[in-house]
Amino acid sequence: MRALVQRVTEASVEVEGRPIGRIGPGLLVLACAMRGDDEAMAQKLAVRVARLRIFGDEAGRMNRSLIDMGGGALVVSQFTLAADTRSGNRPGFSAAAAPHDGRRLLDCFVDGLRGEGVAVETGQFGAEMKLRLLNDGPATIWLDSADRA
């Protein structure tokens, strides 16, 4: 799985003008299941996100995790993270997991975050969504649960 993690002071998601998820300080996580991913990869990525030390400590150093600071996570499915842009001007998305696998693995990822004690809000899988966020830092980190060529 892949995730683009952004430290935020607040973030929200809406579908058809209706708010469906909102967090205060924490992480906005754009997540994508890739072909060949499994539940173990989703769990591994959840643990990495929950324990990623990108929040400031008393000295202002990135030394605290989402768990340490008691923040929330807004998880939004983002199949475009699977984009292949190596040739041409139109990205290809064949590396993304099929929709039924993607939904199952995203749910597993969310369950893994909750299992780490993180309060999680989510977007709506497969929907057109509008995101609002106030990026903190900015601090944006790219994570991948597997090495890919």
Side-chain angles (χ1 to χ4, degrees), residues 1-142:
M1 286 189 71
R2 290 181 174 167
L4 186 68
V5 179
Q6 298 181 58
R7 190 177 68 192
V8 298
T9 56
E10 62 183 65
S12 63
V13 59
E14 62 182 51
V15 174
E16 297 177 356
R18 182 178 54 88
I20 63 168
R22 172 183 214 93
I23 62 166
L27 297 175
L28 170 62
V29 182
L30 305 176
C32 176
M34 307 291 288
R35 285 196 189 279
D37 286 350
D38 60 21
E39 289 83 359
M41 289 178 168
Q43 287 291 328
K44 177 182 175 183
L45 187 62
V47 169
R48 287 182 69 196
V49 168
R51 298 179 184 183
L52 186 65
R53 296 183 345 189
I54 63 170
F55 294 92
D57 62 13
E58 297 76 22
R61 297 185 61 196
M62 285 188 185
N63 207 21
R64 298 181 71 209
S65 70
L66 189 58
I67 296 168
D68 296 333
M69 56 88 63
L74 176 58
V75 177
V76 176
S77 63
Q78 183 78 42
F79 82 93
T80 59
L81 292 179
D84 181 352
T85 59
R86 291 178 287 185
S87 66
N89 294 318
R90 183 170 184 242
F93 301 103
S94 61
H100 65 280
D101 291 331
R103 181 187 305 260
R104 177 177 52 80
L105 292 169
L106 189 71
D107 289 345
C108 184
F109 173 74
V110 167
D111 289 345
L113 282 173
R114 289 183 175 138
E116 290 291 309
V118 176
V120 180
E121 295 281 324
T122 64
Q124 181 180 328
F125 189 90
E128 288 286 325
M129 295 173 272
K130 303 290 185 201
L131 296 173
R132 297 185 202 289
L133 68 136
L134 186 54
N135 206 322
D136 182 17
T140 303
I141 308 290
W142 174 264

